[in-house]
Amino acid sequence: MRPNRKRVFTSLLFCCIFYVVALKFVSLDEPSKLTLKPWETPAPSSLVRTSPGTPAILAASILSSTTGKIDSSTITISSSALVVTSTSRPDSASSGKPEPTGVGLERRSVNLTGLLEKLPLEDLRDFVRRNNEDQKVYNGEKFPISWEDQQQQPVIVVQVHNRYEFLRLCLENIQKARSVQSILLIISADYVSTELVEIVKNIDFCRAMLMLSPHTIQLHPSSFPGTDPNDCPARISRDKAREMGCLNAEHPDTYNNYREAKFSAIKLHWWWKASFVFEKIRILHKNNGWTLMLEEDHLVAPDFIHIIGMLGALVAKEKSTVDLIGLGRQKQQGVVAPGNQYAQEEWYSVFNNMGFAFRRDTWNKLRGCTKEFCEYDDYNWDWTFQIIGERCVKARWQTLTMTMPRIYHIGTCGIHQKSGACRAQAEAKRVASTFDSQAAQLYPMSLVETPSSRPRAIMPRKPNGGWGDIRDHQLCKDITAG
């Protein structure tokens, strides 16, 4: 059978018009509309979620694989959703029966969250930018808060890479806390994925927000702050680097090693996260409550919010020189002690670097030491934080820390762990058993100070290195300048 030339020509013309209209009307700055006819629409029961910068052609190509004939559709692409508003024929039209005069208007949608993995790099960056600009608060209507309470509400920030099994366990523990509905929970991630977005969207026990670092290896895989093809290999001499003519030949670290993006990324993320929370999040602009810093592989006790409140009250009433409060010590997990005891001590990286909280006044001190923080040659944010107290603030950070820990680290794999397989579930069960055995010690009515049993903080003679590249220094300073 010879092809119908008129039909072929019409089809080609339609494709060209479709392409031109898509390019003309799809904008990254405001919702865009694209009218198509005919069209294949998705099932009405599904929900649309897509990137703000998703090109209509990409969205349309995915939609076209779904079922349900319609005559015309308007696709609206915005920062949070893609909605298909369709004028559809009643079932009688497709069955060969006479078509009624009225035509129904129907809103249909499809789950397109998987688009995150398919987005071009520029669109993924735009998704991150839009997310951070929108600052969407999940469950805001479910857990309303007054303006006055918002100024003092506890803020919990969880720093995440991509170990989502750990993150889920972390969130499960947070959910068990009494008064959890009073907090703002912020997930700060340096890796974007569909799974991450779904985890945050499914948080239903408190107000929640997702922050996405824009300075990541994922978003810059072949350029700084990722690894540029012309970067110097990490383990070559300066003479060899100069001979190669690589980009950062003149800027090795203290130990003559060159930059490794996977290590630099952690300190960059921590600094960006702290800066964004205290300086960019609009609803926290006047907040002077306590902000607790967690990571994805931290598990907290059911009374951790209660403890933050009690330690915070002590600082307000009689411990005005204290900068930080802590849920427990890193190297003394599992210690047997009364649940109402705390100690005042110098903040020491190897003991106090997890589950600690500070307020805006401490952040302002830290921000005033931006140059020192950003230029100190140590890829570890916590060692850098400790040094800042000694060399810039001129008074070592003081912390009130619980003797019986309310926080445990279960990360058996990651950047500093070499133990192989991640045993998240087994570790979580062990911690749950510990908290169960301590149930009678939780939720103390008052706190009692006890002398610190921890060794005095030791200032390192030399930095740990890994942070000698001036590009990291400058980006770090730009984060707080911007």
Side-chain angles (χ1 to χ4, degrees), residues 256-317:
N256 291 313
N257 296 317
Y258 287 98
R259 181 181 192 270
E260 293 183 77
K262 65 180 179 180
F263 295 121
S264 298
I266 302 171
K267 184 172 177 177
L268 279 174
H269 185 186
W270 193 92
W271 186 247
W272 175 85
K273 168 191 70 178
S275 177
F276 197 86
V277 167
F278 285 102
E279 310 221 350
K280 302 294 184 184
I281 296 183
R282 293 182 291 276
I283 62 172
L284 297 179
H285 181 61
K286 298 291 186 180
N287 181 280
N288 196 39
W290 291 92
T291 296
L292 178 70
M293 299 296 188
L294 300 178
E295 296 179 13
E296 59 198 349
D297 55 3
H298 292 169
L299 298 185
V300 290
D303 69 342
F304 85 97
I305 298 174
H306 175 75
I307 293 298
I308 291 173
M310 298 199 75
L311 290 175
L314 278 172
V315 174
K317 291 177 182 177

Side-chain angles (χ1 to χ4, degrees), residues 77-91:
I77 300 177
S78 68
S79 61
S80 59
L82 181 149
V83 176
V84 180
T85 304
S86 64
T87 305
S88 60
R89 293 180 185 275
D91 292 339

Side-chain angles (χ1 to χ4, degrees), residues 190-243:
D190 66 355
Y191 189 86
V192 188
S193 72
T194 297
E195 187 172 3
L196 171 69
V197 174
E198 289 300 319
I199 289 173
V200 176
K201 284 168 53 182
N202 288 329
I203 294 172
D204 61 1
F205 52 85
C206 67
R207 289 157 34 103
M209 181 183 291
L210 174 63
M211 292 168 25
L212 298 171
S213 172
H215 311 297
T216 68
I217 298 171
Q218 180 192 24
L219 299 179
H220 306 273
S222 56
S223 62
F224 179 84
T227 301
D228 191 292
N230 295 315
D231 280 351
C232 301
R235 305 288 184 268
I236 62 170
S237 68
R238 185 179 294 199
D239 288 341
K240 182 64 175 176
R242 286 169 173 166
E243 182 184 325

Side-chain angles (χ1 to χ4, degrees), residues 252-257 377-378 462-468:
D253 68 5
T254 302
Y255 306 98
N256 291 313
N257 296 317
D377 184 17
D378 197 319
K462 280 188 174 184
N464 289 303
W467 190 264

Side-chain angles (χ1 to χ4, degrees), residues 35 83 394 430:
T35 301
V83 176
K394 303 302 183 185
R430 177 183 63 81

Side-chain angles (χ1 to χ4, degrees), residues 42-110:
S45 59
S46 34
L47 175 67
V48 171
R49 293 289 176 196
T50 186
S51 154
T54 304
I57 288 180
L58 176 58
S61 67
I62 296 176
L63 280 169
S64 64
S65 64
T66 61
T67 60
K69 288 276 188 179
I70 64 171
D71 279 333
S72 63
S73 294
T74 299
I75 299 178
T76 303
I77 300 177
S78 68
S79 61
S80 59
L82 181 149
V83 176
V84 180
T85 304
S86 64
T87 305
S88 60
R89 293 180 185 275
D91 292 339
S92 57
S94 57
S95 64
K97 297 178 181 178
E99 185 177 334
T101 14
V103 180
L105 187 64
E106 186 176 13
R107 240 173 126 76
R108 303 185 177 191
S109 53
V110 64

